[in-house]
Amino acid sequence: MSECIFCMIAAGQVPAKIVYETPAVVAFDDLSPQAPVHTLIIPRSHYTDLGDGVPDQVRAALLAAVPEVARIKGVAESGYRLIINNGADAMQSVQHLHLHVLGGRAMSHGMVHFADEE
Ligand code: AMP
């Protein structure tokens, strides 16, 4: 997907603040952070969303990156919220599967808001 912004970030063709990477995934800070820590984890390969035939090992690699990113960003102990906006009703805006890691401040209860915008 040559026109996909997240593919370009994974390929190093578009700058991003890379937090963590493995052969399978890349984590980088969100351009428009909704919390003091807001990092995205993406598979290097292009999948539109979780329904796009994502192999088990890629799903595993995405989740395996979460505690690493949390540790690097300093929120492993304080906690963090994980969000996947999957598809149109979830308002997914970048059509490359990604997982949001949000932390660094207390968030209210509830599953409705993206990250309880202040
Ligand atoms: P979503 O609404 O779940 O599709 O989230 C897409 C996220 O990607 C948003 O939080 C954007 O701020 C973020 N984003 C879009 N373009 C970039 C970029 N070039 N670098 C970092 N984050 C980006």
PDB file of all heavy atoms in Angstrom, residues 4-29:
ATOM      1  N   CYS A   4      -0.343   4.459   1.783  1.00  0.00           N
ATOM      2  CA  CYS A   4      -0.774   4.380   3.188  1.00  0.00           C
ATOM      3  C   CYS A   4       0.264   5.049   4.092  1.00  0.00           C
ATOM      4  O   CYS A   4       1.435   4.668   4.087  1.00  0.00           O
ATOM      5  CB  CYS A   4      -0.981   2.920   3.590  1.00  0.00           C
ATOM      6  SG  CYS A   4      -1.190   2.689   5.371  1.00  0.00           S
ATOM      7  N   ILE A   5      -0.177   6.044   4.859  1.00  0.00           N
ATOM      8  CA  ILE A   5       0.748   6.810   5.700  1.00  0.00           C
ATOM      9  C   ILE A   5       1.460   5.915   6.721  1.00  0.00           C
ATOM     10  O   ILE A   5       2.656   6.096   6.988  1.00  0.00           O
ATOM     11  CB  ILE A   5       0.009   7.985   6.391  1.00  0.00           C
ATOM     12  CG1 ILE A   5       0.964   8.876   7.162  1.00  0.00           C
ATOM     13  CG2 ILE A   5      -1.098   7.504   7.304  1.00  0.00           C
ATOM     14  CD1 ILE A   5       1.830   9.751   6.319  1.00  0.00           C
ATOM     15  N   PHE A   6       0.749   4.944   7.286  1.00  0.00           N
ATOM     16  CA  PHE A   6       1.389   4.085   8.287  1.00  0.00           C
ATOM     17  C   PHE A   6       2.362   3.101   7.626  1.00  0.00           C
ATOM     18  O   PHE A   6       3.396   2.769   8.222  1.00  0.00           O
ATOM     19  CB  PHE A   6       0.346   3.361   9.142  1.00  0.00           C
ATOM     20  CG  PHE A   6      -0.338   4.247  10.164  1.00  0.00           C
ATOM     21  CD1 PHE A   6      -0.024   5.595  10.282  1.00  0.00           C
ATOM     22  CD2 PHE A   6      -1.288   3.719  11.032  1.00  0.00           C
ATOM     23  CE1 PHE A   6      -0.649   6.408  11.220  1.00  0.00           C
ATOM     24  CE2 PHE A   6      -1.915   4.523  11.990  1.00  0.00           C
ATOM     25  CZ  PHE A   6      -1.599   5.871  12.076  1.00  0.00           C
ATOM     26  N   CYS A   7       2.066   2.656   6.411  1.00  0.00           N
ATOM     27  CA  CYS A   7       3.055   1.843   5.672  1.00  0.00           C
ATOM     28  C   CYS A   7       4.314   2.665   5.433  1.00  0.00           C
ATOM     29  O   CYS A   7       5.430   2.151   5.546  1.00  0.00           O
ATOM     30  CB  CYS A   7       2.480   1.374   4.340  1.00  0.00           C
ATOM     31  SG  CYS A   7       1.324   0.000   4.456  1.00  0.00           S
ATOM     32  N   MET A   8       4.124   3.941   5.129  1.00  0.00           N
ATOM     33  CA  MET A   8       5.284   4.807   4.863  1.00  0.00           C
ATOM     34  C   MET A   8       6.099   5.028   6.130  1.00  0.00           C
ATOM     35  O   MET A   8       7.327   5.063   6.085  1.00  0.00           O
ATOM     36  CB  MET A   8       4.823   6.131   4.250  1.00  0.00           C
ATOM     37  CG  MET A   8       4.330   5.965   2.831  1.00  0.00           C
ATOM     38  SD  MET A   8       4.104   7.540   1.990  1.00  0.00           S
ATOM     39  CE  MET A   8       2.370   7.788   2.189  1.00  0.00           C
ATOM     40  N   ILE A   9       5.424   5.153   7.265  1.00  0.00           N
ATOM     41  CA  ILE A   9       6.142   5.279   8.537  1.00  0.00           C
ATOM     42  C   ILE A   9       6.919   3.992   8.813  1.00  0.00           C
ATOM     43  O   ILE A   9       8.100   4.022   9.184  1.00  0.00           O
ATOM     44  CB  ILE A   9       5.163   5.611   9.691  1.00  0.00           C
ATOM     45  CG1 ILE A   9       4.681   7.066   9.538  1.00  0.00           C
ATOM     46  CG2 ILE A   9       5.829   5.398  11.053  1.00  0.00           C
ATOM     47  CD1 ILE A   9       3.584   7.459  10.514  1.00  0.00           C
ATOM     48  N   ALA A  10       6.268   2.850   8.619  1.00  0.00           N
ATOM     49  CA  ALA A  10       6.932   1.562   8.869  1.00  0.00           C
ATOM     50  C   ALA A  10       8.153   1.388   7.977  1.00  0.00           C
ATOM     51  O   ALA A  10       9.151   0.776   8.379  1.00  0.00           O
ATOM     52  CB  ALA A  10       5.944   0.416   8.661  1.00  0.00           C
ATOM     53  N   ALA A  11       8.078   1.949   6.778  1.00  0.00           N
ATOM     54  CA  ALA A  11       9.191   1.824   5.821  1.00  0.00           C
ATOM     55  C   ALA A  11      10.240   2.914   6.023  1.00  0.00           C
ATOM     56  O   ALA A  11      11.247   2.939   5.304  1.00  0.00           O
ATOM     57  CB  ALA A  11       8.645   1.884   4.398  1.00  0.00           C
ATOM     58  N   GLY A  12      10.007   3.821   6.955  1.00  0.00           N
ATOM     59  CA  GLY A  12      10.963   4.900   7.197  1.00  0.00           C
ATOM     60  C   GLY A  12      10.905   6.006   6.172  1.00  0.00           C
ATOM     61  O   GLY A  12      11.797   6.839   6.085  1.00  0.00           O
ATOM     62  N   GLN A  13       9.810   6.045   5.400  1.00  0.00           N
ATOM     63  CA  GLN A  13       9.684   7.053   4.343  1.00  0.00           C
ATOM     64  C   GLN A  13       9.011   8.329   4.833  1.00  0.00           C
ATOM     65  O   GLN A  13       9.064   9.357   4.152  1.00  0.00           O
ATOM     66  CB  GLN A  13       8.873   6.465   3.171  1.00  0.00           C
ATOM     67  CG  GLN A  13       9.596   5.327   2.472  1.00  0.00           C
ATOM     68  CD  GLN A  13       8.671   4.480   1.613  1.00  0.00           C
ATOM     69  OE1 GLN A  13       7.459   4.653   1.636  1.00  0.00           O
ATOM     70  NE2 GLN A  13       9.246   3.551   0.871  1.00  0.00           N
ATOM     71  N   VAL A  14       8.358   8.237   5.980  1.00  0.00           N
ATOM     72  CA  VAL A  14       7.731   9.405   6.612  1.00  0.00           C
ATOM     73  C   VAL A  14       8.239   9.443   8.046  1.00  0.00           C
ATOM     74  O   VAL A  14       8.259   8.405   8.721  1.00  0.00           O
ATOM     75  CB  VAL A  14       6.191   9.282   6.571  1.00  0.00           C
ATOM     76  CG1 VAL A  14       5.524  10.254   7.515  1.00  0.00           C
ATOM     77  CG2 VAL A  14       5.682   9.485   5.154  1.00  0.00           C
ATOM     78  N   PRO A  15       8.691  10.601   8.522  1.00  0.00           N
ATOM     79  CA  PRO A  15       9.232  10.653   9.877  1.00  0.00           C
ATOM     80  C   PRO A  15       8.166  10.414  10.948  1.00  0.00           C
ATOM     81  O   PRO A  15       7.011  10.795  10.779  1.00  0.00           O
ATOM     82  CB  PRO A  15       9.810  12.074   9.982  1.00  0.00           C
ATOM     83  CG  PRO A  15       9.176  12.852   8.891  1.00  0.00           C
ATOM     84  CD  PRO A  15       8.748  11.893   7.829  1.00  0.00           C
ATOM     85  N   ALA A  16       8.590   9.773  12.007  1.00  0.00           N
ATOM     86  CA  ALA A  16       7.723   9.558  13.164  1.00  0.00           C
ATOM     87  C   ALA A  16       8.641   9.367  14.357  1.00  0.00           C
ATOM     88  O   ALA A  16       9.818   9.025  14.204  1.00  0.00           O
ATOM     89  CB  ALA A  16       6.836   8.332  12.962  1.00  0.00           C
ATOM     90  N   LYS A  17       8.105   9.612  15.542  1.00  0.00           N
ATOM     91  CA  LYS A  17       8.875   9.405  16.757  1.00  0.00           C
ATOM     92  C   LYS A  17       8.745   7.926  17.145  1.00  0.00           C
ATOM     93  O   LYS A  17       7.819   7.527  17.840  1.00  0.00           O
ATOM     94  CB  LYS A  17       8.383  10.329  17.878  1.00  0.00           C
ATOM     95  CG  LYS A  17       9.326  10.335  19.054  1.00  0.00           C
ATOM     96  CD  LYS A  17       9.044  11.475  20.012  1.00  0.00           C
ATOM     97  CE  LYS A  17       9.928  11.317  21.252  1.00  0.00           C
ATOM     98  NZ  LYS A  17       9.202  11.529  22.497  1.00  0.00           N
ATOM     99  N   ILE A  18       9.691   7.150  16.651  1.00  0.00           N
ATOM    100  CA  ILE A  18       9.637   5.701  16.863  1.00  0.00           C
ATOM    101  C   ILE A  18       9.956   5.392  18.324  1.00  0.00           C
ATOM    102  O   ILE A  18      10.946   5.877  18.875  1.00  0.00           O
ATOM    103  CB  ILE A  18      10.645   4.969  15.950  1.00  0.00           C
ATOM    104  CG1 ILE A  18      10.402   5.308  14.471  1.00  0.00           C
ATOM    105  CG2 ILE A  18      10.583   3.464  16.194  1.00  0.00           C
ATOM    106  CD1 ILE A  18       9.130   4.784  13.878  1.00  0.00           C
ATOM    107  N   VAL A  19       9.101   4.581  18.920  1.00  0.00           N
ATOM    108  CA  VAL A  19       9.240   4.209  20.327  1.00  0.00           C
ATOM    109  C   VAL A  19       9.840   2.820  20.456  1.00  0.00           C
ATOM    110  O   VAL A  19      10.652   2.552  21.351  1.00  0.00           O
ATOM    111  CB  VAL A  19       7.854   4.261  21.014  1.00  0.00           C
ATOM    112  CG1 VAL A  19       7.897   3.653  22.407  1.00  0.00           C
ATOM    113  CG2 VAL A  19       7.328   5.697  21.050  1.00  0.00           C
ATOM    114  N   TYR A  20       9.462   1.937  19.559  1.00  0.00           N
ATOM    115  CA  TYR A  20       9.832   0.519  19.691  1.00  0.00           C
ATOM    116  C   TYR A  20       9.584  -0.135  18.342  1.00  0.00           C
ATOM    117  O   TYR A  20       8.634   0.235  17.627  1.00  0.00           O
ATOM    118  CB  TYR A  20       8.944  -0.117  20.764  1.00  0.00           C
ATOM    119  CG  TYR A  20       9.102  -1.596  20.956  1.00  0.00           C
ATOM    120  CD1 TYR A  20      10.208  -2.129  21.604  1.00  0.00           C
ATOM    121  CD2 TYR A  20       8.115  -2.481  20.503  1.00  0.00           C
ATOM    122  CE1 TYR A  20      10.334  -3.503  21.791  1.00  0.00           C
ATOM    123  CE2 TYR A  20       8.234  -3.849  20.695  1.00  0.00           C
ATOM    124  CZ  TYR A  20       9.352  -4.353  21.338  1.00  0.00           C
ATOM    125  OH  TYR A  20       9.483  -5.698  21.519  1.00  0.00           O
ATOM    126  N   GLU A  21      10.432  -1.077  17.979  1.00  0.00           N
ATOM    127  CA  GLU A  21      10.160  -1.818  16.751  1.00  0.00           C
ATOM    128  C   GLU A  21      10.721  -3.217  16.805  1.00  0.00           C
ATOM    129  O   GLU A  21      11.696  -3.485  17.512  1.00  0.00           O
ATOM    130  CB  GLU A  21      10.632  -1.073  15.498  1.00  0.00           C
ATOM    131  CG  GLU A  21      12.037  -0.556  15.497  1.00  0.00           C
ATOM    132  CD  GLU A  21      12.294   0.334  14.270  1.00  0.00           C
ATOM    133  OE1 GLU A  21      11.673   0.122  13.210  1.00  0.00           O
ATOM    134  OE2 GLU A  21      13.130   1.245  14.384  1.00  0.00           O
ATOM    135  N   THR A  22      10.070  -4.098  16.099  1.00  0.00           N
ATOM    136  CA  THR A  22      10.510  -5.475  15.924  1.00  0.00           C
ATOM    137  C   THR A  22      10.362  -5.784  14.439  1.00  0.00           C
ATOM    138  O   THR A  22       9.840  -4.954  13.679  1.00  0.00           O
ATOM    139  CB  THR A  22       9.626  -6.454  16.734  1.00  0.00           C
ATOM    140  OG1 THR A  22       8.350  -6.568  16.092  1.00  0.00           O
ATOM    141  CG2 THR A  22       9.445  -6.016  18.187  1.00  0.00           C
ATOM    142  N   PRO A  23      10.770  -6.962  14.003  1.00  0.00           N
ATOM    143  CA  PRO A  23      10.541  -7.303  12.588  1.00  0.00           C
ATOM    144  C   PRO A  23       9.056  -7.286  12.205  1.00  0.00           C
ATOM    145  O   PRO A  23       8.717  -7.111  11.032  1.00  0.00           O
ATOM    146  CB  PRO A  23      11.127  -8.711  12.471  1.00  0.00           C
ATOM    147  CG  PRO A  23      12.196  -8.743  13.519  1.00  0.00           C
ATOM    148  CD  PRO A  23      11.632  -7.952  14.675  1.00  0.00           C
ATOM    149  N   ALA A  24       8.165  -7.434  13.183  1.00  0.00           N
ATOM    150  CA  ALA A  24       6.736  -7.539  12.869  1.00  0.00           C
ATOM    151  C   ALA A  24       5.951  -6.261  13.093  1.00  0.00           C
ATOM    152  O   ALA A  24       4.932  -6.033  12.430  1.00  0.00           O
ATOM    153  CB  ALA A  24       6.102  -8.658  13.703  1.00  0.00           C
ATOM    154  N   VAL A  25       6.385  -5.421  14.056  1.00  0.00           N
ATOM    155  CA  VAL A  25       5.577  -4.257  14.434  1.00  0.00           C
ATOM    156  C   VAL A  25       6.455  -3.021  14.613  1.00  0.00           C
ATOM    157  O   VAL A  25       7.668  -3.119  14.825  1.00  0.00           O
ATOM    158  CB  VAL A  25       4.791  -4.496  15.743  1.00  0.00           C
ATOM    159  CG1 VAL A  25       3.929  -5.745  15.653  1.00  0.00           C
ATOM    160  CG2 VAL A  25       5.711  -4.549  16.953  1.00  0.00           C
ATOM    161  N   VAL A  26       5.805  -1.868  14.528  1.00  0.00           N
ATOM    162  CA  VAL A  26       6.457  -0.580  14.813  1.00  0.00           C
ATOM    163  C   VAL A  26       5.529   0.198  15.748  1.00  0.00           C
ATOM    164  O   VAL A  26       4.314   0.204  15.554  1.00  0.00           O
ATOM    165  CB  VAL A  26       6.675   0.246  13.524  1.00  0.00           C
ATOM    166  CG1 VAL A  26       7.386   1.554  13.844  1.00  0.00           C
ATOM    167  CG2 VAL A  26       7.450  -0.533  12.489  1.00  0.00           C
ATOM    168  N   ALA A  27       6.128   0.840  16.753  1.00  0.00           N
ATOM    169  CA  ALA A  27       5.362   1.707  17.647  1.00  0.00           C
ATOM    170  C   ALA A  27       5.920   3.117  17.538  1.00  0.00           C
ATOM    171  O   ALA A  27       7.147   3.312  17.540  1.00  0.00           O
ATOM    172  CB  ALA A  27       5.452   1.203  19.091  1.00  0.00           C
ATOM    173  N   PHE A  28       5.019   4.088  17.431  1.00  0.00           N
ATOM    174  CA  PHE A  28       5.442   5.494  17.315  1.00  0.00           C
ATOM    175  C   PHE A  28       4.406   6.382  17.985  1.00  0.00           C
ATOM    176  O   PHE A  28       3.226   6.018  18.108  1.00  0.00           O
ATOM    177  CB  PHE A  28       5.633   5.889  15.841  1.00  0.00           C
ATOM    178  CG  PHE A  28       4.443   5.601  14.956  1.00  0.00           C
ATOM    179  CD1 PHE A  28       3.484   6.564  14.722  1.00  0.00           C
ATOM    180  CD2 PHE A  28       4.298   4.349  14.370  1.00  0.00           C
ATOM    181  CE1 PHE A  28       2.383   6.301  13.911  1.00  0.00           C
ATOM    182  CE2 PHE A  28       3.198   4.072  13.560  1.00  0.00           C
ATOM    183  CZ  PHE A  28       2.250   5.043  13.333  1.00  0.00           C
ATOM    184  N   ASP A  29       4.858   7.553  18.398  1.00  0.00           N
ATOM    185  CA  ASP A  29       3.957   8.468  19.095  1.00  0.00           C
ATOM    186  C   ASP A  29       2.935   9.059  18.131  1.00  0.00           C
ATOM    187  O   ASP A  29       3.249   9.390  16.982  1.00  0.00           O
ATOM    188  CB  ASP A  29       4.757   9.585  19.771  1.00  0.00           C
ATOM    189  CG  ASP A  29       5.483   9.097  21.014  1.00  0.00           C
ATOM    190  OD1 ASP A  29       5.041   8.087  21.603  1.00  0.00           O
ATOM    191  OD2 ASP A  29       6.485   9.731  21.389  1.00  0.00           O
TER     192      ASP A  29
END
